[in-house]
Amino acid sequence: MDINMSFSPNMDDEYEKLIRRMNPPRVVIDNEACKNATVIQVDSANRPGILLEVVQVLTDLNLIITKAYISSDGGWFMDVFNVTGQDGNKIMDDEILDYIKKVLGPDSCFTSSLRSVGFKPSDDHTAIELTGSDRPGLLSEVSAVLTHLKCNVVSAEVWTHNTRAAAVMHVTDEETGSAITDPERLTRIKELLCNVLKGSNKSRGAKTMVLHGVTLTTRRLHQMMFADRDYERTYDEGLDEKQRPNVEVVNWYDKDYSVVTIRSKDRPKLLFDTVCTLTDMQYVVFHANIVVEGPEAYQEYYIRHLDGSPVNSDAERERLMHCLEAAIERRVSEGLKLELCTTDRVGLLSDVTRIFRENSLTVTRAEVTTKDGKAVNTFYVQDSSGYPVDSKTIDSIRQTIGQTILHVKGSSKESKPVAQESPTRFLFGGLFRSRSFVNFGLVRSYS
């Protein structure tokens, strides 16, 4: 008798669901254990990518992670996070706390789809990914092309780092307000945007992808800039070497781990950026300890390759260090922060960025959002000549755009150099001499 066996592409998800039913995750939220933070503990069966998923949920809620303790040796995974809101206070909103329990707890449908990089079909918008050489006025030129092609930008995020630029933009058809589906029109959009990105610089390539769907924007930006090799140092950047993140990688041969220590200026979403990079570089985090002390953050990761081996060579060690440095620096917002709030309309982004360009300002980072007919756009701008932004220039721009529409939110300050310490001074201390941390008692002593 012949037996024909067919395997569904969803078999991995079904297996994952079975494991979850056998070992349902547990989420404990405690507002009493620590006097100045909410403590969140997540326990579940271990699987690839779970750390990034948990961190992403907290990051998407704009929670500030002040401490974290992570262990995933063997088949079990345990995270403990101390978190606060943007105001620095504990999370007392029951709606937020219930949401965390829902998406991370036993009743969630938290599957590998969150870890995927691909796109899902969408009738709402068309996703455009752009990478190329950064230059003054680039965002203005891209926006002008999209307006000319009768595309409306409904959301976008733009990063620049180490002479490179990357953007994920969601656009709709000006007339229908929905995704653009005509193949010839999509090809035209792709060709014109690619020409803009290439500019006069032929030494580095430019890339444009036009797709229907949604994606995890910040993770895609990391992946796009990594693929574009923005971590390769040119050493002519404005950031002083002493102000760079201090990243060290050493092998702990007794335990077959590579230990990554990072000391840098603290900022929101820092943990996501480093965990995202380690995950996408195919490293597994077995243990980690994160501590924020004042303006500085200390991160320590015990990692291996997917095959169980530590970092294998000096070349790999250097590459890992540079990639983590780049991951931290990409989201650093250099320049003056401007926030625009107004009624959304087609061509708004093009008009605003054109005014910036005409006043010799270059955009180093941007976030564009629209909701219920309102546009809330955040820009970080610098003088294209490298000098500090002149207050008279900003006053002139605000008069042109509207005093009540464009607001100055402040400027980024340079980070102070972080004191050097021995790479053998591991924060975990006697971790491997005692396994008593695997219980909820850790939460009480963690504050």
Side-chain angles (χ1 to χ4, degrees):
M1 180 176 64
D2 293 332
I3 299 177
N4 295 321
M5 297 183 65
S6 62
F7 293 89
S8 166
N10 295 321
M11 285 187 68
D12 287 343
D13 283 347
E14 293 301 320
Y15 177 73
E16 188 172 294
K17 292 176 183 177
L18 174 62
I19 295 299
R20 287 175 60 82
R21 286 195 295 268
M22 295 173 60
N23 300 280
R26 183 175 70 112
V27 179
V28 177
I29 299 178
D30 193 337
N31 264 319
E32 303 298 328
C34 180
K35 66 179 181 180
N36 56 8
T38 298
V39 179
I40 300 173
Q41 178 169 319
V42 181
D43 301 313
S44 77
N46 193 19
R47 54 182 170 78
I50 187 172
L51 173 59
L52 180 58
E53 292 176 359
V54 174
V55 172
Q56 183 180 328
V57 168
L58 301 180
T59 300
D60 287 347
L61 290 170
N62 291 318
L63 302 183
I64 305 299
I65 299 173
T66 59
K67 289 183 181 180
Y69 190 98
I70 296 150
S71 178
S72 62
D73 244 347
W76 198 251
F77 169 83
M78 186 196 74
D79 274 3
V80 180
F81 299 95
N82 282 21
V83 303
T84 69
Q86 294 287 323
D87 57 4
N89 297 322
K90 294 182 180 182
I91 312 303
M92 306 303 293
D93 188 330
D94 289 337
E95 185 175 349
I96 294 177
L97 298 179
D98 290 342
Y99 175 80
I100 294 172
K101 292 178 181 178
K102 179 180 179 181
V103 298
L104 298 180
D107 297 328
S108 71
C109 54
F110 211 50
T111 68
S112 59
S113 61
L114 187 59
R115 299 194 303 273
S116 67
V117 177
F119 298 84
K120 298 179 181 179
S122 172
D123 295 327
D124 297 332
H125 62 256
T126 298
I128 302 177
E129 296 182 353
L130 310 167
T131 54
S133 296
D134 185 32
R135 65 176 186 273
L138 179 61
L139 180 57
S140 173
E141 295 177 38
V142 168
S143 303
V145 168
L146 290 172
T147 300
H148 174 72
L149 295 171
K150 299 189 180 302
C151 301
N152 184 38
V153 180
V154 294
S155 66
E157 190 151 356
V158 182
W159 289 1
T160 63
H161 176 249
N162 195 19
T163 74
R164 307 304 293 168
V168 175
M169 311 181 84
H170 294 159
V171 303
T172 58
D173 178 77
E174 178 181 330
E175 294 183 1
T176 66
S178 58
I180 301 168
T181 58
D182 179 51
E184 292 185 3
R185 187 178 176 192
L186 292 174
T187 299
R188 180 65 172 162
I189 292 172
K190 183 176 180 178
E191 289 176 348
L192 290 181
L193 288 177
C194 201
N195 288 337
V196 169
L197 289 167
K198 287 179 180 177
S200 60
N201 184 359
K202 305 300 183 182
S203 61
R204 293 286 294 271
K207 186 176 182 181
T208 304
M209 293 185 66
V210 182
L211 310 102
H212 298 297
V214 294
T215 184
L216 306 176
T217 300
T218 54
R219 186 173 184 187
R220 281 299 297 147
L221 286 167
H222 275 302
Q223 292 170 332
M224 291 158 60
M225 298 203 87
F226 173 77
D228 202 31
R229 306 192 310 278
D230 75 316
Y231 54 85
E232 294 180 350
R233 294 295 178 200
T234 59
Y235 295 101
D236 58 354
E237 298 177 78
L239 188 63
D240 189 279
E241 286 297 311
K242 293 182 179 179
Q243 297 171 353
R244 294 193 185 283
N246 179 264
V247 182
E248 296 177 343
V249 180
V250 297
N251 280 355
W252 191 352
Y253 292 103
D254 290 346
K255 300 295 180 181
D256 287 329
Y257 288 113
S258 292
V259 184
V260 179
T261 56
I262 305 172
R263 300 174 180 88
S264 67
K265 183 179 179 180
D266 186 40
R267 60 164 174 76
K269 304 182 180 180
L270 177 65
L271 180 59
F272 173 84
D273 294 337
T274 53
V275 171
C276 176
T277 299
L278 289 170
T279 301
D280 286 334
M281 292 184 72
Q282 305 297 302
Y283 292 105
V284 179
V285 176
F286 286 84
H287 304 280
N289 197 20
I290 287 82
V291 179
V292 176
E293 296 179 353
E296 296 175 358
Y298 300 83
Q299 302 179 69
E300 181 174 85
Y301 301 96
Y302 289 68
I303 66 170
R304 292 175 183 154
H305 287 285
L306 288 174
D307 64 5
S309 64
V311 172
N312 295 317
S313 66
D314 289 339
E316 181 189 352
R317 181 178 295 105
E318 288 291 320
R319 183 171 181 266
L320 174 57
M321 291 166 57
H322 290 163
C323 288
L324 287 170
E325 289 172 3
I328 294 170
E329 293 170 0
R330 287 173 195 141
R331 209 196 288 258
V332 173
S333 305
E334 298 181 4
L336 190 69
K337 182 179 180 181
L338 304 177
E339 186 174 278
L340 181 142
C341 301
T342 188
T343 302
D344 186 38
R345 60 175 174 80
V346 176
L348 175 64
L349 181 62
S350 175
D351 291 342
V352 172
T353 53
R354 174 181 53 79
I355 293 171
F356 290 161
R357 184 186 65 194
E358 291 173 348
N359 285 272
S360 299
L361 296 185
T362 182
V363 177
T364 61
R365 190 161 77 89
E367 296 178 20
V368 176
T369 60
T370 57
K371 185 177 182 181
D372 299 329
K374 294 290 185 181
V376 179
N377 301 343
T378 301
F379 304 95
Y380 292 86
V381 299
Q382 291 181 323
D383 188 279
S384 57
S385 62
Y387 294 103
V389 178
D390 184 61
S391 59
K392 294 181 180 179
T393 300
I394 296 299
D395 290 340
S396 175
I397 292 173
R398 293 190 67 205
Q399 288 178 5
T400 302
I401 296 176
Q403 298 281 354
T404 60
I405 294 177
L406 186 67
H407 302 274
V408 180
K409 292 297 182 177
S411 59
S412 60
K413 298 181 180 179
E414 294 181 347
S415 60
K416 297 180 180 179
V418 180
Q420 300 288 323
E421 295 185 41
S422 168
T424 59
R425 182 186 174 275
F426 300 149
L427 295 174
F428 270 179
L431 168 66
F432 295 99
R433 292 190 295 272
S434 171
R435 300 307 295 265
S436 61
F437 58 86
V438 189
N439 55 63
F440 189 64
L442 168 68
V443 176
R444 292 289 178 180
S445 62
Y446 192 62
S447 60

